[in-house]
Short mmCIF file of all heavy atoms in Angstrom, two decimals:
data_model
loop_
_atom_site.label_atom_id
_atom_site.label_comp_id
_atom_site.label_asym_id
_atom_site.label_seq_id
_atom_site.Cartn_x
_atom_site.Cartn_y
_atom_site.Cartn_z
N GLY A 2 -25.39 -10.82 2.87
CA GLY A 2 -25.34 -12.23 2.49
C GLY A 2 -26.73 -12.80 2.25
O GLY A 2 -26.97 -13.50 1.26
N VAL A 28 -15.77 -25.60 -3.69
CA VAL A 28 -16.42 -24.35 -4.07
C VAL A 28 -16.65 -23.56 -2.79
O VAL A 28 -16.98 -24.14 -1.75
CB VAL A 28 -17.79 -24.63 -4.74
CG1 VAL A 28 -18.54 -23.34 -5.03
CG2 VAL A 28 -17.60 -25.42 -6.03
N HIS A 102 -28.49 -34.04 3.62
CA HIS A 102 -27.35 -33.13 3.74
C HIS A 102 -27.69 -31.80 3.07
O HIS A 102 -28.51 -31.73 2.17
CB HIS A 102 -26.14 -33.77 3.08
CG HIS A 102 -24.86 -33.03 3.32
ND1 HIS A 102 -24.60 -32.32 4.47
CD2 HIS A 102 -23.75 -32.87 2.54
CE1 HIS A 102 -23.40 -31.77 4.40
NE2 HIS A 102 -22.87 -32.09 3.24
N VAL A 113 -22.40 -22.45 -17.72
CA VAL A 113 -22.18 -22.12 -16.32
C VAL A 113 -23.05 -23.00 -15.42
O VAL A 113 -24.19 -23.30 -15.77
CB VAL A 113 -22.48 -20.62 -16.07
CG1 VAL A 113 -22.64 -20.32 -14.58
CG2 VAL A 113 -21.40 -19.74 -16.68
N VAL A 116 -26.11 -21.89 -8.98
CA VAL A 116 -26.60 -22.46 -7.73
C VAL A 116 -27.53 -21.45 -7.06
O VAL A 116 -27.33 -20.23 -7.15
CB VAL A 116 -25.42 -22.85 -6.80
CG1 VAL A 116 -24.62 -21.64 -6.36
CG2 VAL A 116 -25.91 -23.63 -5.58
N ALA A 242 -19.06 -7.40 -30.77
CA ALA A 242 -19.10 -8.36 -29.67
C ALA A 242 -19.47 -7.58 -28.40
O ALA A 242 -19.25 -6.36 -28.30
CB ALA A 242 -17.75 -9.04 -29.51
N ASP A 253 -16.23 -12.26 2.25
CA ASP A 253 -16.16 -10.80 2.39
C ASP A 253 -14.92 -10.19 1.76
O ASP A 253 -14.90 -9.01 1.43
CB ASP A 253 -16.19 -10.41 3.88
CG ASP A 253 -17.56 -10.61 4.48
OD1 ASP A 253 -18.52 -10.85 3.72
OD2 ASP A 253 -17.68 -10.56 5.72
N GLN A 333 -4.63 -4.06 -14.77
CA GLN A 333 -4.71 -2.63 -14.43
C GLN A 333 -5.86 -2.41 -13.46
O GLN A 333 -5.73 -1.73 -12.44
CB GLN A 333 -4.88 -1.81 -15.71
CG GLN A 333 -3.65 -1.88 -16.62
CD GLN A 333 -3.93 -1.48 -18.06
OE1 GLN A 333 -5.06 -1.12 -18.40
NE2 GLN A 333 -2.91 -1.53 -18.90
N GLY A 358 -22.29 7.30 -10.54
CA GLY A 358 -22.76 5.94 -10.77
C GLY A 358 -22.46 5.03 -9.59
O GLY A 358 -23.29 4.19 -9.20
N GLY A 369 -31.65 -2.37 -1.31
CA GLY A 369 -32.14 -3.70 -1.62
C GLY A 369 -31.97 -4.64 -0.44
O GLY A 369 -32.90 -5.38 -0.07
N VAL A 383 -35.75 -11.25 -9.07
CA VAL A 383 -35.71 -12.68 -8.74
C VAL A 383 -36.85 -13.41 -9.45
O VAL A 383 -36.63 -14.47 -10.05
CB VAL A 383 -35.79 -12.90 -7.22
CG1 VAL A 383 -35.96 -14.38 -6.90
CG2 VAL A 383 -34.54 -12.34 -6.54
N GLN A 387 -37.27 -11.52 -16.96
CA GLN A 387 -37.23 -10.73 -18.18
C GLN A 387 -36.60 -9.36 -17.94
O GLN A 387 -36.21 -8.67 -18.90
CB GLN A 387 -38.64 -10.59 -18.78
CG GLN A 387 -39.58 -9.67 -18.02
CD GLN A 387 -40.15 -10.28 -16.73
OE1 GLN A 387 -39.82 -11.41 -16.35
NE2 GLN A 387 -40.98 -9.52 -16.04
N LEU A 398 -24.56 11.25 -29.88
CA LEU A 398 -25.82 11.99 -29.87
C LEU A 398 -25.54 13.49 -29.91
O LEU A 398 -24.49 13.94 -29.43
CB LEU A 398 -26.61 11.69 -28.60
CG LEU A 398 -26.99 10.22 -28.33
CD1 LEU A 398 -27.68 10.10 -26.98
CD2 LEU A 398 -27.92 9.72 -29.44
#
Side-chain angles (χ1 to χ4, degrees):
Chain A
V28 175
H102 189 32
V113 164
V116 65
D253 288 349
Q333 294 161 1
V383 171
Q387 73 284 2
L398 301 176

